[in-house]
Amino acid sequence: MKRIARLLITMLALILTAKIVPGIRIESIGAGFWATLILGLVNVFLKPILTIFTLPLTIFSFGLFLFVINGLMLLLTASMVNDFYVSGLLAAIFGSIILSIINSFMLDVLND
């Protein structure tokens, strides 16, 4: 039950992010659901591999390259889901930052 609540909260956070960030657009609730599901799977399976391969660059940039990796995960998700659009890497990076902030805040409220 808690996983379903987390999924719905993340979906809501993604929809709010699309309302805030000009370069991100979600056309339907279904697209938001699939984007959330695929983004979760991409973050679980692909992000750790990319993080390991780019570790020297991440260390050299004092961890700031992780923002780029998060943006790339959002762009990859947008390429897989119909009716979910991200205009470019800058919008994806900014969107991933906003998504993380909103998601952290909402999940913190859920856990209290």
Side-chain angles (χ1 to χ4, degrees), residues 21 23-24 71 75 86-97:
V21 179
I24 299 176
L75 273 174
V86 178
S87 65
L89 184 61
L90 192 61
I93 291 170
F94 185 60
S96 69
I97 293 168

PDB file of all heavy atoms in Angstrom, residues 21 23-24 71 75 86-97:
ATOM      1  N   VAL A  21       7.844  24.036 -14.750  1.00  0.00           N
ATOM      2  CA  VAL A  21       8.959  24.153 -15.697  1.00  0.00           C
ATOM      3  C   VAL A  21       8.407  24.335 -17.113  1.00  0.00           C
ATOM      4  O   VAL A  21       7.647  23.492 -17.586  1.00  0.00           O
ATOM      5  CB  VAL A  21       9.869  22.911 -15.620  1.00  0.00           C
ATOM      6  CG1 VAL A  21      11.012  23.012 -16.611  1.00  0.00           C
ATOM      7  CG2 VAL A  21      10.412  22.729 -14.215  1.00  0.00           C
ATOM      8  N   GLY A  23       9.628  23.938 -20.121  1.00  0.00           N
ATOM      9  CA  GLY A  23      10.001  22.988 -21.169  1.00  0.00           C
ATOM     10  C   GLY A  23       9.475  21.584 -20.973  1.00  0.00           C
ATOM     11  O   GLY A  23       9.784  20.691 -21.765  1.00  0.00           O
ATOM     12  N   ILE A  24       8.675  21.342 -19.943  1.00  0.00           N
ATOM     13  CA  ILE A  24       8.149  20.003 -19.672  1.00  0.00           C
ATOM     14  C   ILE A  24       6.638  20.044 -19.800  1.00  0.00           C
ATOM     15  O   ILE A  24       5.988  20.937 -19.275  1.00  0.00           O
ATOM     16  CB  ILE A  24       8.573  19.513 -18.270  1.00  0.00           C
ATOM     17  CG1 ILE A  24      10.091  19.427 -18.179  1.00  0.00           C
ATOM     18  CG2 ILE A  24       7.944  18.154 -17.970  1.00  0.00           C
ATOM     19  CD1 ILE A  24      10.616  19.049 -16.825  1.00  0.00           C
ATOM     20  N   GLY A  71      18.905  14.769 -15.256  1.00  0.00           N
ATOM     21  CA  GLY A  71      18.256  15.339 -16.428  1.00  0.00           C
ATOM     22  C   GLY A  71      18.211  14.364 -17.591  1.00  0.00           C
ATOM     23  O   GLY A  71      17.200  14.262 -18.295  1.00  0.00           O
ATOM     24  N   LEU A  75      15.026  12.952 -19.670  1.00  0.00           N
ATOM     25  CA  LEU A  75      14.953  12.974 -21.135  1.00  0.00           C
ATOM     26  C   LEU A  75      14.711  11.581 -21.704  1.00  0.00           C
ATOM     27  O   LEU A  75      13.928  11.414 -22.648  1.00  0.00           O
ATOM     28  CB  LEU A  75      16.247  13.534 -21.722  1.00  0.00           C
ATOM     29  CG  LEU A  75      16.353  15.033 -21.876  1.00  0.00           C
ATOM     30  CD1 LEU A  75      17.749  15.426 -22.328  1.00  0.00           C
ATOM     31  CD2 LEU A  75      15.321  15.552 -22.839  1.00  0.00           C
ATOM     32  N   VAL A  86       9.828  16.683 -22.990  1.00  0.00           N
ATOM     33  CA  VAL A  86      10.849  17.532 -22.367  1.00  0.00           C
ATOM     34  C   VAL A  86      11.607  18.170 -23.520  1.00  0.00           C
ATOM     35  O   VAL A  86      12.114  17.474 -24.400  1.00  0.00           O
ATOM     36  CB  VAL A  86      11.794  16.714 -21.468  1.00  0.00           C
ATOM     37  CG1 VAL A  86      12.870  17.590 -20.882  1.00  0.00           C
ATOM     38  CG2 VAL A  86      11.022  16.023 -20.356  1.00  0.00           C
ATOM     39  N   SER A  87      11.675  19.501 -23.529  1.00  0.00           N
ATOM     40  CA  SER A  87      12.193  20.226 -24.693  1.00  0.00           C
ATOM     41  C   SER A  87      13.705  20.115 -24.873  1.00  0.00           C
ATOM     42  O   SER A  87      14.186  20.197 -25.989  1.00  0.00           O
ATOM     43  CB  SER A  87      11.783  21.689 -24.631  1.00  0.00           C
ATOM     44  OG  SER A  87      12.376  22.316 -23.524  1.00  0.00           O
ATOM     45  N   GLY A  88      14.452  19.953 -23.811  1.00  0.00           N
ATOM     46  CA  GLY A  88      15.905  19.863 -23.954  1.00  0.00           C
ATOM     47  C   GLY A  88      16.574  19.525 -22.637  1.00  0.00           C
ATOM     48  O   GLY A  88      15.920  19.338 -21.608  1.00  0.00           O
ATOM     49  N   LEU A  89      17.899  19.466 -22.691  1.00  0.00           N
ATOM     50  CA  LEU A  89      18.655  19.062 -21.510  1.00  0.00           C
ATOM     51  C   LEU A  89      18.540  20.078 -20.374  1.00  0.00           C
ATOM     52  O   LEU A  89      18.425  19.688 -19.212  1.00  0.00           O
ATOM     53  CB  LEU A  89      20.124  18.831 -21.866  1.00  0.00           C
ATOM     54  CG  LEU A  89      21.020  18.308 -20.755  1.00  0.00           C
ATOM     55  CD1 LEU A  89      20.524  16.951 -20.257  1.00  0.00           C
ATOM     56  CD2 LEU A  89      22.449  18.209 -21.209  1.00  0.00           C
ATOM     57  N   LEU A  90      18.536  21.357 -20.705  1.00  0.00           N
ATOM     58  CA  LEU A  90      18.427  22.372 -19.658  1.00  0.00           C
ATOM     59  C   LEU A  90      17.083  22.285 -18.933  1.00  0.00           C
ATOM     60  O   LEU A  90      17.029  22.344 -17.694  1.00  0.00           O
ATOM     61  CB  LEU A  90      18.638  23.768 -20.241  1.00  0.00           C
ATOM     62  CG  LEU A  90      18.837  24.883 -19.237  1.00  0.00           C
ATOM     63  CD1 LEU A  90      20.074  24.611 -18.390  1.00  0.00           C
ATOM     64  CD2 LEU A  90      18.973  26.209 -19.945  1.00  0.00           C
ATOM     65  N   ALA A  91      16.013  22.105 -19.693  1.00  0.00           N
ATOM     66  CA  ALA A  91      14.690  21.931 -19.073  1.00  0.00           C
ATOM     67  C   ALA A  91      14.648  20.650 -18.260  1.00  0.00           C
ATOM     68  O   ALA A  91      14.033  20.599 -17.189  1.00  0.00           O
ATOM     69  CB  ALA A  91      13.597  21.921 -20.143  1.00  0.00           C
ATOM     70  N   ALA A  92      15.317  19.606 -18.749  1.00  0.00           N
ATOM     71  CA  ALA A  92      15.338  18.332 -18.022  1.00  0.00           C
ATOM     72  C   ALA A  92      16.107  18.456 -16.712  1.00  0.00           C
ATOM     73  O   ALA A  92      15.681  17.926 -15.678  1.00  0.00           O
ATOM     74  CB  ALA A  92      15.954  17.240 -18.898  1.00  0.00           C
ATOM     75  N   ILE A  93      17.224  19.167 -16.727  1.00  0.00           N
ATOM     76  CA  ILE A  93      18.010  19.339 -15.500  1.00  0.00           C
ATOM     77  C   ILE A  93      17.223  20.165 -14.487  1.00  0.00           C
ATOM     78  O   ILE A  93      17.115  19.787 -13.316  1.00  0.00           O
ATOM     79  CB  ILE A  93      19.378  19.992 -15.811  1.00  0.00           C
ATOM     80  CG1 ILE A  93      20.253  19.017 -16.590  1.00  0.00           C
ATOM     81  CG2 ILE A  93      20.078  20.425 -14.530  1.00  0.00           C
ATOM     82  CD1 ILE A  93      21.528  19.639 -17.148  1.00  0.00           C
ATOM     83  N   PHE A  94      16.670  21.287 -14.946  1.00  0.00           N
ATOM     84  CA  PHE A  94      15.874  22.127 -14.055  1.00  0.00           C
ATOM     85  C   PHE A  94      14.650  21.354 -13.556  1.00  0.00           C
ATOM     86  O   PHE A  94      14.308  21.415 -12.374  1.00  0.00           O
ATOM     87  CB  PHE A  94      15.459  23.409 -14.775  1.00  0.00           C
ATOM     88  CG  PHE A  94      14.740  24.381 -13.904  1.00  0.00           C
ATOM     89  CD1 PHE A  94      15.343  24.909 -12.772  1.00  0.00           C
ATOM     90  CD2 PHE A  94      13.444  24.776 -14.201  1.00  0.00           C
ATOM     91  CE1 PHE A  94      14.671  25.806 -11.955  1.00  0.00           C
ATOM     92  CE2 PHE A  94      12.767  25.664 -13.397  1.00  0.00           C
ATOM     93  CZ  PHE A  94      13.371  26.179 -12.277  1.00  0.00           C
ATOM     94  N   GLY A  95      14.012  20.604 -14.440  1.00  0.00           N
ATOM     95  CA  GLY A  95      12.852  19.799 -14.053  1.00  0.00           C
ATOM     96  C   GLY A  95      13.200  18.724 -13.042  1.00  0.00           C
ATOM     97  O   GLY A  95      12.425  18.460 -12.120  1.00  0.00           O
ATOM     98  N   SER A  96      14.357  18.103 -13.195  1.00  0.00           N
ATOM     99  CA  SER A  96      14.745  17.060 -12.235  1.00  0.00           C
ATOM    100  C   SER A  96      15.018  17.653 -10.858  1.00  0.00           C
ATOM    101  O   SER A  96      14.723  17.021  -9.840  1.00  0.00           O
ATOM    102  CB  SER A  96      15.957  16.279 -12.742  1.00  0.00           C
ATOM    103  OG  SER A  96      17.113  17.074 -12.745  1.00  0.00           O
ATOM    104  N   ILE A  97      15.554  18.873 -10.826  1.00  0.00           N
ATOM    105  CA  ILE A  97      15.786  19.540  -9.539  1.00  0.00           C
ATOM    106  C   ILE A  97      14.452  19.867  -8.869  1.00  0.00           C
ATOM    107  O   ILE A  97      14.245  19.563  -7.682  1.00  0.00           O
ATOM    108  CB  ILE A  97      16.634  20.817  -9.730  1.00  0.00           C
ATOM    109  CG1 ILE A  97      18.048  20.448 -10.172  1.00  0.00           C
ATOM    110  CG2 ILE A  97      16.672  21.646  -8.458  1.00  0.00           C
ATOM    111  CD1 ILE A  97      18.872  21.618 -10.656  1.00  0.00           C
TER     112      ILE A  97
END
